[in-house]
Amino acid sequence: MGQLIGNHDWSKTSLGPANNWPQSLQTLLSVVLRSKTPMFLIWSDPAVSFYNDACFSTLGSNGNYPVAPGKPVSEVWPAVWRIMAPQIELVMLSGESATQHDQLISGEIEGRPGNMYWTFNYSPVYGADGQPQGAFVTCFDTSQKVNSLQKLQESEKI
């Protein structure tokens, strides 16, 4: 993903050329791209999304991975965005962090239709003016935990 971002023509986006990006965006993007934990970085208005290779390998490409730099999450992963959008808005308006536990995501997973459960942690990213400019989102797959709990509950009913 780092290579795709580096090769993308950002001058045609709301962010403009990468060498003009705010330091906070550049720093967090570097963290996101190097992490093995699935992460998103949502920046500015209109929202531009960045995500790392861990997101791609876990959530599936949905055919968008090679062309996704700079596109909104709503276009890249619509099922994920339906869950994330209200929290992103809350974080951007309030400047406070938020968490969603064990959210069901239905859609393409690793290239196949399926369901997964995720916990999302949202943190505001502040610009030079001290106002939220974006949201930093870490994602944790909790499918195994949720599925195990569901099986345990079903077995207790028998």
Side-chain angles (χ1 to χ4, degrees), residues 1-8 10 29 32-36 38-40 49-78 108 110-111:
M1 182 48 97
Q3 185 176 13
L4 291 174
I5 290 170
N7 292 335
H8 188 72
W10 292 99
L29 184 56
V32 167
L33 293 175
R34 286 179 170 81
S35 179
K36 301 282 186 211
M39 295 180 179
F40 289 93
S49 67
F50 299 94
Y51 56 91
N52 61 12
D53 291 330
C55 280
F56 169 70
S57 64
T58 306
L59 293 172
S61 69
N62 208 23
N64 292 312
Y65 182 67
V67 296
K71 290 193 176 182
V73 176
S74 61
E75 290 180 28
V76 179
W77 287 303
E108 182 181 312
E110 297 178 345

Side-chain angles (χ1 to χ4, degrees), residues 2-99:
Q3 185 176 13
L4 291 174
I5 290 170
N7 292 335
H8 188 72
D9 182 2
W10 292 99
S11 66
K12 297 177 182 175
T13 71
S14 61
L15 291 177
N19 58 342
N20 293 337
W21 292 354
Q23 187 61 50
S24 54
L25 172 58
Q26 292 179 35
T27 300
L28 261 179
L29 184 56
S30 176
V31 169
V32 167
L33 293 175
R34 286 179 170 81
S35 179
K36 301 282 186 211
T37 299
M39 295 180 179
F40 289 93
L41 178 57
I42 313 300
W43 192 263
S44 193
D45 186 22
V48 174
S49 67
F50 299 94
Y51 56 91
N52 61 12
D53 291 330
C55 280
F56 169 70
S57 64
T58 306
L59 293 172
S61 69
N62 208 23
N64 292 312
Y65 182 67
V67 296
K71 290 193 176 182
V73 176
S74 61
E75 290 180 28
V76 179
W77 287 303
V80 174
W81 185 246
R82 285 189 291 278
I83 301 297
M84 293 174 66
Q87 294 301 315
I88 297 290
E89 183 176 344
L90 177 67
V91 166
M92 294 289 288
L93 291 174
S94 72
E96 295 185 22
S97 297
T99 301

